[in-house]
Amino acid sequence: MNGGDGGDVAAASAGPALPLEWKFSQVFGERTAGEEVQEVDIISAIEFDKTGDHLATGDRGGRVVLFERTDTKEHGGNRRDLERTDYAVSRHPEFRYKTEFQSHEPEFDYLKSLEIEEKINKIRWCQTANGALFLLSTNDKTIKFWKVQEKKVKKISEMNVEPSKSAGNGSIASSSISPSPKQYLANGGCPDRSYNSLGNDVSFPPGDILSLKLPVVTSFETSLVARCRRIYAHAHDYHINSISNNSDGETFISADDLRINLWNLEISNQSFNIVDVKPANMEDLTEVITSAEFHPTHCNMLAYSSSKGSIRLVDLRQSALVDSHSKLFEELESPGSRSFFTEIIASISDIKFAKDGRYLLSRDYMTLKLWDINMDSGPVATFQVHEYLRPKLCDLYENDSIFDKFECCLSGDGLRVATGSYSNLFRVFGRAAGSTEAATLEASKNPMRRQVQTPSRPSRSLSSSITRVVRRGAESPGVDANGNSFDFTTKLLHLAWHPTENSIACAAANSLYMYYA
């Protein structure tokens, strides 16, 4: 549990890292001016695999699209060989479209008279095996385990027959034996058959029959085939909001509003309920589960967040049904600052463990919070994201924007965190002690055009002076902290950080933008 301390000490002794300069890398599915976005094409999930060589996106139409990295292959050799060279190789992260498949279809629950939409809620990569890619995808009710593998398309080489009388791909179109009865020898031969022709359809090449070459099976190309290996269904009464792989490589969890289930990848007809917050009387319900994730290295630990702004760390070794938590992480507001919106904006929409498992990042409507799992007294850092929207909470409630669920992510080295916002903006903060890095970028080909010259980034503490600085940028209605007009209809909910490099993939409606630093 204490892993990663050495890295943090080294980072602290070296001082805060220099702010990154983000540059546009690629865009997939870019919209032309005035083009109307189809609802089914809007991206609803993004996930890098552990190596960072593959990227998966899911959309509201139930499709999963896979991309693969190409710039490492073009430089020749594997990454380890490149690291051994005595000069720096400046790589520009580049991905290309690999394949796509229809993961989920719209369904109808006849017992409850409910439509189950095909929208992909989450995607999680599993361990690769024998060159095949494995991943889990889920909609509101059903989780599917997919295997994506290259299949060789075998073709038959052409025989040396006359092209005008041969069928495509070298196969003979029809039998050329005459229908008239003939006398055949005991071994199947035909005494009066001529040896220079098999009939009217196919003729031998000039010369003896021995010059005829037999067809040979050759492989010309490979195609990617996605096959659903298992379907994990009928285990959730409420909408699934999270799935997370265990570090043991054998199990995963799925979470809905009131329950978390534990599955074995090999067993699709049985799961174990490990967390149940459903009260005996639903009128007593005060909070729901909003997100859940396994610890990256300890297979017995997982964390889940609630709509009340708390995060619970649980240990599966305690009992079969984990109805008590090991640690509770929450930050209580002072009674004087409570309002009608307090509980709504405190609801945590996403949690992510840092790579070493020591820190936990959470996103509520207003802020990003970084927690040390060894310290449950409060967050070690708080980053203001939407403080400038506080005066407009009534409007946000009226148009339901206050219920938007923004995701968050950490860099592979744990030194930076990122999350999305409105107007297709996303924000990147440096978390090292003394760091003032706070970049505001736009999901476009010029990400830095919305960048503030003097970023007003709240530091480690939520001091009143910091709050005043941020609020001053939002005094004029319809203008954000950077002096830009904000648009609640364009929101950047989903983004992912490359596991080993400073590269971010984010979704703006149906477009996938990629940036590097």
Side-chain angles (χ1 to χ4, degrees):
M1 193 183 293
N2 295 325
D5 289 350
D8 291 333
V9 172
S13 62
L18 292 173
L20 297 176
E21 183 183 349
W22 291 94
K23 299 171 186 173
F24 170 77
S25 174
Q26 286 174 284
V27 59
F28 295 94
E30 185 181 19
R31 299 195 308 276
T32 57
E35 181 185 351
E36 187 176 343
V37 179
Q38 299 296 319
E39 178 82 10
V40 293
D41 294 332
I42 296 176
I43 297 173
S44 56
I46 300 179
E47 186 78 5
F48 281 104
D49 72 348
K50 282 187 177 180
T51 64
D53 291 337
H54 292 93
L55 174 68
T57 66
D59 62 25
R60 294 189 184 180
R63 292 174 301 240
V64 172
V65 183
L66 304 185
F67 302 88
E68 65 177 350
R69 188 166 179 178
T70 58
D71 59 294
T72 50
K73 296 178 181 177
E74 290 167 2
H75 281 82
N78 56 31
R79 190 170 298 174
R80 190 174 298 168
D81 294 336
L82 293 171
E83 288 169 353
R84 287 177 183 157
T85 58
D86 56 355
Y87 58 91
V89 179
S90 58
R91 284 201 307 269
H92 177 79
E94 287 185 2
F95 283 77
R96 72 179 175 196
Y97 169 86
K98 187 177 178 76
T99 188
E100 68 180 89
F101 55 91
Q102 188 71 33
S103 175
H104 288 73
E105 301 278 359
E107 300 173 42
F108 190 81
D109 188 334
Y110 292 96
L111 292 176
K112 297 182 179 179
S113 296
L114 286 174
E115 287 185 12
I116 303 170
E117 61 179 353
E118 65 272 34
K119 184 188 111 178
I120 305 296
N121 290 344
K122 295 288 179 182
I123 296 173
R124 289 292 180 266
W125 290 91
C126 302
Q127 292 180 351
T128 59
N130 299 326
L133 302 173
F134 294 89
L135 61 154
L136 290 164
S137 63
T138 184
N139 65 352
D140 286 339
K141 295 288 185 181
T142 306
I143 307 159
K144 294 186 179 182
F145 183 47
W146 291 91
K147 177 182 181 181
V148 182
Q149 191 175 30
E150 286 189 345
K151 293 282 187 183
K152 290 185 178 179
V153 179
K154 294 182 178 179
K155 295 186 176 181
I156 301 174
S157 64
E158 291 186 4
M159 294 189 297
N160 54 342
V161 294
E162 292 181 15
S164 60
K165 296 184 178 180
S166 63
N169 210 21
S171 59
I172 297 174
S174 61
S175 174
S176 56
I177 297 176
S178 171
S180 59
K182 286 191 177 184
Q183 184 181 5
Y184 291 92
L185 302 178
N187 63 358
C190 182
D192 59 343
R193 175 187 264 172
S194 85
Y195 285 98
N196 62 355
S197 174
L198 193 61
N200 297 324
D201 292 337
V202 178
S203 297
F204 290 136
D208 192 70
I209 188 173
L210 297 176
S211 63
L212 176 66
K213 295 179 182 176
L214 293 175
V216 179
V217 175
T218 57
S219 181
F220 286 96
E221 56 186 21
T222 57
S223 66
L224 283 161
V225 178
R227 189 163 64 93
C228 185
R229 294 289 303 274
R230 285 175 190 84
I231 299 176
Y232 313 90
H234 313 301
H236 288 278
D237 292 329
Y238 305 93
H239 290 179
I240 298 172
N241 55 50
S242 304
I243 52 175
S244 179
N245 303 80
N246 197 345
S247 58
D248 63 10
E250 296 180 358
T251 55
F252 70 94
I253 54 170
S254 59
D256 64 21
D257 292 342
L258 298 179
R259 292 188 178 96
I260 300 177
N261 293 333
L262 178 69
W263 301 83
N264 188 300
L265 282 167
E266 301 296 324
I267 303 169
S268 59
N269 59 358
Q270 183 183 42
S271 66
F272 297 94
N273 180 224
I274 55 174
V275 175
D276 190 347
V277 299
K278 185 178 182 180
N281 184 358
M282 285 296 281
E283 291 181 1
D284 299 330
L285 182 69
T286 59
E287 62 181 335
V288 295
I289 298 168
T290 56
S291 184
E293 180 153 305
F294 261 120
H295 191 280
T297 55
H298 298 303
C299 62
N300 55 285
M301 294 181 66
L302 64 95
Y304 67 92
S305 59
S306 81
S307 57
K308 275 194 167 181
S310 60
I311 303 170
R312 290 171 174 84
L313 193 68
V314 299
D315 192 333
L316 298 179
R317 297 172 296 186
Q318 287 182 337
S319 61
L321 182 64
V322 191
D323 44 14
S324 63
H325 52 264
S326 303
K327 286 189 178 177
L328 176 67
F329 305 96
E330 61 181 349
E331 189 176 36
L332 300 175
E333 285 211 17
S334 57
S337 63
R338 289 188 64 83
S339 70
F340 172 77
F341 305 109
T342 299
E343 280 199 11
I344 301 175
I345 62 176
S347 176
I348 294 174
S349 56
D350 191 25
I351 58 172
K352 290 284 192 328
F353 273 103
K355 197 173 182 179
D356 60 7
R358 172 71 184 269
Y359 294 96
L360 188 62
L361 183 67
S362 67
R363 171 72 153 100
D364 57 44
Y365 189 73
M366 305 299 282
T367 65
L368 270 175
K369 291 187 175 77
L370 189 71
W371 307 81
D372 184 336
I373 65 171
N374 293 344
M375 188 181 81
D376 53 8
S377 58
V380 295
T382 300
F383 310 95
Q384 299 290 353
V385 181
H386 281 163
E387 187 64 30
Y388 64 89
L389 292 176
R390 197 174 287 274
K392 301 189 71 69
L393 290 179
C394 283
D395 297 336
L396 293 163
Y397 180 77
E398 289 293 326
N399 62 22
D400 284 344
S401 294
I402 200 170
F403 301 106
D404 288 335
K405 300 184 186 307
F406 292 92
E407 293 180 2
C408 59
C409 58
L410 296 99
S411 60
D413 56 14
L415 296 178
R416 292 174 180 84
V417 296
T419 190
S421 182
Y422 293 106
S423 303
N424 282 343
L425 299 177
F426 65 99
R427 306 204 69 189
V428 180
F429 300 97
R431 78 155 190 87
S435 173
T436 58
E437 181 177 358
T440 302
L441 305 118
E442 184 183 34
S444 67
K445 289 188 175 181
N446 182 13
M448 305 295 282
R449 73 175 183 175
R450 303 291 283 263
Q451 179 65 56
V452 228
Q453 296 303 318
T454 311
S456 55
R457 170 198 181 262
S459 63
R460 318 261 124 205
S461 61
L462 291 171
S463 63
S464 57
S465 60
I466 291 293
T467 307
R468 283 198 299 274
V469 169
V470 179
R471 284 185 179 173
R472 196 159 49 234
E475 286 171 2
S476 54
V479 176
D480 66 15
N482 306 329
N484 301 303
S485 60
F486 47 77
D487 179 8
F488 296 133
T489 60
T490 56
K491 44 201 163 194
L492 199 150
L493 301 176
H494 312 285
L495 77 172
W497 201 302
H498 192 282
T500 59
E501 299 186 26
N502 286 322
S503 177
I504 291 179
C506 56
N510 65 330
S511 302
L512 176 67
Y513 286 90
M514 308 194 74
Y515 303 94
Y516 71 101

